[in-house]
Amino acid sequence: MQPLIDNARTFGQRPEEFAKLAEGQSPQVLFITCSDSRVVPALITGARPGQLFELRTAGNIVPPYASQHPTSEACTIEYAVEVLGVSDIVVCGHSHCGAVGALVRGDDLTAVPAVRDWLTHATPKPEGTVDDPAVSEGVQAHVLTQLLRLRSYPYIEKKLKDRQLSLHAWFYEVHTGAVLTHDPATDTFKAL
């Protein structure tokens, strides 16, 4: 914890770098990814403050659209699209994902009921190789399912139809640092 505290103490000693941020934000990208501490969107993309609007959820899950009982995730997505006017949404899964791995393996999550119940939003269950510690196949299938889920949000469907929004599926390898993107033409993930 001490290195984090030390950095936080010196971080605010460069006010000239941050003064413009007080004027507001206008990110172009909503970056939806896992809460995993090994996945750092700004580090992966090189983004500076104000360039990415981030949504981090266990297993980078996009819950079903529900206007009567919205989730905080749905609110974040709506704000990014309707208020901030992002032009791109990236759903980025990652290798060695505990959430997707638990789903692929069918782990007993009785001891963590909130996690168990949250992961029910990941339906259908991602398919993948049970003995693959990276769960690459399962995570990639899961990311594509989340893109389909996003397409079911009415305002996203409209923006896609009007060509005001693009969706992207990414897969980050925590063990190599490589980032792959889904190529719809071949239905495969390829290096960016």
Side-chain angles (χ1 to χ4, degrees):
M1 184 70 185
Q2 193 58 49
L4 301 176
I5 292 170
D6 293 343
N7 189 68
R9 284 183 179 139
T10 61
F11 193 71
Q13 295 177 2
R14 304 180 308 268
E16 65 282 352
E17 292 181 37
F18 301 102
K20 216 167 165 51
L21 295 174
E23 298 170 13
Q25 62 175 323
S26 56
Q28 294 181 315
V29 178
L30 168 60
F31 199 93
I32 301 172
T33 194
C34 187
S35 304
D36 192 298
S37 63
R38 300 168 294 180
V39 181
V40 183
L43 185 63
I44 294 167
T45 63
R48 301 289 302 151
Q51 292 183 315
L52 288 180
F53 198 69
E54 294 180 23
L55 172 58
R56 305 209 34 176
T57 70
N60 54 270
I61 292 174
V62 174
Y65 179 78
S67 60
Q68 292 187 348
H69 300 288
T71 62
S72 64
E73 294 80 14
C75 293
T76 300
I77 295 165
E78 181 179 74
Y79 189 81
V81 173
E82 297 289 74
V83 177
L84 296 176
V86 298
S87 58
D88 294 273
I89 299 176
V90 173
V91 176
C92 182
H94 67 94
S95 67
H96 303 85
C97 181
V100 175
L103 291 168
V104 168
R105 292 184 302 270
D107 290 354
D108 179 7
L109 300 174
T110 306
V112 283
V115 173
R116 179 197 61 219
D117 294 350
W118 172 249
L119 293 181
T120 63
H121 291 298
T123 56
K125 177 185 161 224
E127 296 294 325
T129 307
V130 175
D131 58 354
D132 174 16
V135 291
S136 301
E137 188 179 300
V139 171
Q140 290 172 4
H142 174 71
V143 166
L144 295 176
T145 298
Q146 302 320 296
L147 280 190
L148 287 175
R149 181 78 52 73
L150 279 171
R151 290 178 178 277
S152 72
Y153 284 45
Y155 52 89
I156 289 179
E157 182 182 40
K158 182 180 182 331
K159 296 265 185 185
L160 289 169
K161 183 180 173 191
D162 295 342
R163 297 177 189 254
Q164 296 174 331
L165 185 66
S166 297
L167 302 180
H168 311 272
W170 285 12
F171 176 72
Y172 172 64
E173 293 182 337
V174 299
H175 55 290
T176 67
V179 179
L180 309 177
T181 187
H182 182 256
D183 178 1
T186 62
D187 194 26
T188 59
F189 280 79
K190 298 180 176 181
L192 274 176

